[in-house]
Amino acid sequence: MDTAHYAKAVLTFSDGTLRRDGRPHRVLAGSLHYFRVHPEQWADRLLRLAALGLNTVDTYVPWNFHERSAGDVRFDGWRDLTRFARLAQQTGLDVIVRPGPYICAEWDNGGLPAWLTGTPGMRLRTSHGPFLDAVGRWFDELIPRVAELQAGRGGPVVAVQIENEYGSYGDDQAYVRWVRDALVERGVTELLYTADGPTPLMQDGGTVPGELAAATFGSRPAEAAALLRSRRPDEPFFCAEFWSGWFDHWGERHHVRSAASAAEGVGGILDAGGSVSLYMAHGGTNFGLWAGANHDGASLQPTVTSYDSDAPVAEHGALTPKFFALRERLAALGGDVPPLPPAPADPPLLAPRSLEVTRRAALLPALRSTTEPVRAPLPLSFEELAQASGLVLYTAEPLLPPGRHELTVTGLHDRAQVFVDGAPVGVLDRETSSFTVPGGGVRVRLELLVENQGRINYGPLLGQGKGILGGVRVDRRLVHGWTMHRLPLDEWGPRETAGAASAAPPDGRAGFATALLEVTEPADAFLALPGFGKGFVWVNDTLLGRYWEIGPQTTLYLPRPLLRAGENTLTVLELERFGDHLALHEGPGLGPAEEYVETFD
């Protein structure tokens, strides 16, 4: 441990023991991401973590959430990290900050901005000069704010993480040391640590000499403790992420972990004398288009809108059986934990009801109306269009000779609905990117509505582009002469949404629809779209998120602060097939469940 650097640190360690102000201490933390919880609900969720028996909250900081376009860095409103940290302090919680610059977190692009990862020649998470320069500029904005919040300056921040699970990605040790030095140079004096999986490969790649090496895992705590202590005998055992639940992908089952299994795992960490952070203590929601994606080597796995993660505090703040099982286990520590505050009541919910739907503008005419098209000889990617998320409508008019022809899209990321002369003819994805079309010796209007389903947040494909990255062929011949309509849905305000919804008559198939929700007293709700296929929902002026009939998620969490007393407008952009009505349900619909415990086999 660098004693000179840590002269002012509140958390220190020696002889395998973690200390707070010189006294033996355990970090009993839980992850709660301010960017996944409405700011008006931060205080409530922090109180629930304290009632769980935790003494610390940890949060990532997603770079792309704060700097959506290069140079426009914001820390206001939903991005007010300082306010979140001060609320935690008022609740009696210490704070651990995990600034990345890469965070994974099942968050779009692992928190890296699309404008950065789309830069030609960029080499992410390495000592590549342009990458370090960009990180340095971001850290110039972020880290002094974190430094001001440190415990040594009267704030709640007691530790800061160096990068994030780097040993699962690479072995550029100079880069990880650069990140550590960048934190110190900008004022971090509290405890620094790395967090990596509990294998020699991962610990070799991600750790830094002289800084605490923590582990992330969901099982076999005794084995993880033995590995870390064999490598760093003077360091305390710290599980920086204990996976007490898991996230979900579209088209899979809802992952759960029993309360007994989670409590047993936490108990194993505590019995080994360790500190722990529950991932997640409260998961929250991937509002808007912030959900990321994984890739299993064969196909893209986009993450659902809910980030409930089967956490002890549910997506809407309800206290689960897992909450009480873990609370009982933590309370059993006795002297290590102050008397627990009472468990709060679950937040109220709106009564179930059905909402009549008014079908509005047809899909393609509405989308064509939103912006002036961009023209190019070949399709442009999202990055070339300076667009991070949403949809792009690609249009060309190829001449199709008589007979049937194979239409092939090269480098499709991620999903395209194909229309010929306005009629839907197929859906393509990364794995199924060709089909046959009939020709009659005339030009046709070929349109591909391409959806970015979430940027990959983990693994070697981090930073991949979106849209059509290659070209479109009819048989062996490339199609030239494209127009592209940018549709960055998460950047739309009420003017764009209302304008698109009223831009054309309905056609009964797909497009925009609206519903009115009358509320006397705002409260949380769960919104279902029975019969609808795939699309997006706005609540008043806020993009709530994606829905998709393939599940597992069948309801979207609608937080109380997004509603107002009186009339509220719900706007739906349906890509495939309208349903007859919307519905408020009495609870979450997260889909058929399966038990899942992550291991490193």
Side-chain angles (χ1 to χ4, degrees):
M1 186 173 184
D2 184 344
T3 54
H5 165 63
Y6 290 119
K8 298 181 180 179
V10 168
L11 292 184
T12 59
F13 61 86
S14 61
D15 301 322
T17 301
L18 183 68
R19 293 180 172 84
R20 194 183 196 284
D21 291 326
R23 295 184 296 275
H25 179 73
R26 288 185 203 255
V27 171
L28 302 175
S31 290
L32 189 165
H33 299 154
Y34 61 95
F35 45 93
R36 284 182 160 126
V37 177
H38 193 283
E40 291 184 28
Q41 297 174 316
W42 287 348
D44 173 83
R45 302 306 193 258
L46 289 164
L47 282 171
R48 292 169 191 273
L49 262 62
L52 178 56
L54 304 179
N55 57 28
T56 306
V57 60
D58 82 50
T59 184
Y60 285 121
V61 180
W63 182 358
N64 55 3
F65 189 64
H66 290 269
E67 190 175 5
R68 298 197 61 174
S69 59
D72 183 15
V73 182
R74 296 179 55 185
F75 288 92
D76 60 335
W78 209 316
R79 297 164 175 80
D80 194 343
L81 174 63
T82 297
R83 176 173 172 263
F84 176 79
R86 293 298 185 189
L87 284 172
Q89 185 176 24
Q90 293 168 21
T91 311
L93 296 170
D94 287 340
V95 176
I96 294 174
V97 177
R98 310 171 74 184
Y102 161 81
I103 66 169
C104 184
E106 291 70 58
W107 188 255
D108 188 70
N109 221 25
L112 298 175
W115 55 260
L116 174 71
T117 60
T119 302
M122 185 57 64
R123 300 290 184 262
L124 309 175
R125 303 179 75 192
T126 69
S127 299
H128 181 56
F131 182 69
L132 298 185
D133 290 344
V135 175
R137 288 190 294 271
W138 161 233
F139 275 10
D140 286 343
E141 298 283 347
L142 170 65
I143 302 306
R145 297 171 188 272
V146 175
E148 283 296 320
L149 291 165
Q150 291 178 113
R153 303 189 194 183
V157 173
V158 297
V160 177
Q161 182 176 297
I162 303 166
E163 238 275 354
N164 185 61
E165 295 184 321
Y166 187 73
S168 302
Y169 181 81
D171 62 3
D172 188 340
Q173 295 289 305
Y175 163 65
V176 185
R177 290 194 300 271
W178 183 93
V179 174
R180 186 269 313 274
D181 293 345
L183 297 172
V184 173
E185 290 164 3
R186 289 163 177 80
V188 174
T189 55
E190 298 295 342
L191 179 71
L192 291 168
Y193 71 98
T194 58
D196 292 283
T199 71
L201 181 77
M202 295 176 182
Q203 291 288 319
D204 287 346
T207 53
V208 176
E211 311 295 353
L212 175 64
T216 60
F217 56 85
S219 59
R220 304 171 187 165
E223 293 180 21
L227 174 69
L228 266 64
R229 286 171 171 154
S230 71
R231 299 167 64 94
R232 304 280 189 99
D234 293 332
E235 295 184 4
F237 174 41
F238 177 27
C239 174
E241 290 185 14
F242 176 71
W243 302 322
S244 52
W246 203 248
F247 57 91
D248 296 335
H249 295 131
W250 290 112
E252 299 179 359
R253 297 176 75 84
H254 172 47
H255 295 120
V256 299
R257 182 171 188 173
S258 72
S261 172
E264 180 183 8
V266 170
I269 295 168
L270 301 178
D271 291 345
S275 292
V276 63
S277 183
L278 304 174
Y279 194 94
M280 300 289 297
H282 171 60
T285 308
N286 296 311
F287 293 110
L289 304 179
W290 287 115
N294 292 104
H295 198 286
D296 64 2
S299 60
L300 188 76
Q301 300 168 299
T303 299
V304 302
T305 300
S306 171
Y307 202 64
D308 177 87
S309 301
D310 196 36
V313 179
E315 185 174 11
H316 61 301
L319 306 183
T320 68
K322 188 177 293 182
F323 175 96
F324 292 101
L326 291 172
R327 176 179 156 102
E328 181 179 356
R329 185 62 183 83
L330 294 170
L333 285 172
D336 285 290
V337 191
L340 299 185
D346 291 350
L349 295 170
L350 293 179
R353 70 189 76 173
S354 178
L355 304 176
E356 182 181 353
V357 167
T358 300
R359 299 183 183 185
R360 305 291 294 278
L363 180 64
L364 294 180
L367 298 182
R368 292 185 201 123
S369 75
T370 57
T371 57
E372 287 297 318
V374 177
R375 303 181 187 280
L378 288 168
L380 300 178
S381 67
F382 276 57
E383 290 71 26
E384 291 168 317
L385 292 166
Q387 180 177 332
S389 304
L391 307 166
V392 171
L393 179 61
Y394 295 85
T395 305
E397 295 188 353
L399 177 65
L400 298 183
R404 299 195 66 82
H405 305 278
E406 185 174 46
L407 186 147
T408 303
V409 183
T410 304
L412 173 60
H413 290 184
D414 298 309
R415 183 180 190 269
Q417 294 171 249
V418 184
F419 303 84
V420 174
D421 292 333
V425 296
V427 176
L428 307 179
D429 56 30
R430 288 183 175 216
E431 295 73 48
T432 310
S433 55
S434 65
F435 67 106
T436 59
V437 291
V442 297
R443 293 191 179 275
V444 299
R445 183 183 184 93
L446 174 65
E447 293 173 289
L448 294 93
L449 182 59
V450 176
E451 179 187 359
N452 168 359
Q453 295 191 294
R455 293 178 182 271
I456 292 171
N457 55 256
Y458 180 83
L461 301 183
L462 179 71
Q464 274 195 345
K466 294 296 184 178
I468 299 176
L469 307 185
V472 179
R473 298 193 317 273
V474 174
D475 297 331
R476 68 180 66 191
R477 189 190 72 205
L478 278 169
V479 177
H480 290 99
W482 290 87
T483 62
M484 285 139 287
H485 289 273
R486 299 176 68 256
L487 302 163
L489 306 180
D490 53 338
E491 298 178 15
W492 283 7
R495 182 178 62 83
E496 289 86 358
T497 308
S502 60
D507 68 3
R509 292 199 305 264
F512 285 86
T514 56
L516 297 180
L517 171 59
E518 291 277 354
V519 174
T520 303
E521 176 95 21
D524 290 346
F526 289 94
L527 177 67
L529 297 97
F532 285 75
K534 188 181 199 304
F536 312 86
V537 182
W538 287 261
V539 178
N540 294 321
D541 301 336
T542 300
L543 179 56
L544 195 61
R546 290 182 171 93
Y547 64 88
W548 197 356
E549 64 180 350
I550 67 171
Q553 180 178 2
T554 58
T555 62
L556 293 174
Y557 171 53
L558 200 173
R560 173 194 53 77
L562 296 184
L563 296 173
R564 51 182 174 248
E567 188 176 272
N568 297 268
T569 301
L570 308 182
T571 304
V572 178
L573 170 54
E574 167 59 43
L575 301 180
E576 295 183 346
R577 181 187 65 256
F578 282 128
D580 293 326
H581 68 282
L582 306 183
L584 300 187
H585 285 190
E586 61 187 4
L590 298 177
E594 67 177 6
E595 182 86 2
Y596 184 86
V597 178
E598 179 71 1
T599 65
F600 283 91
D601 291 334

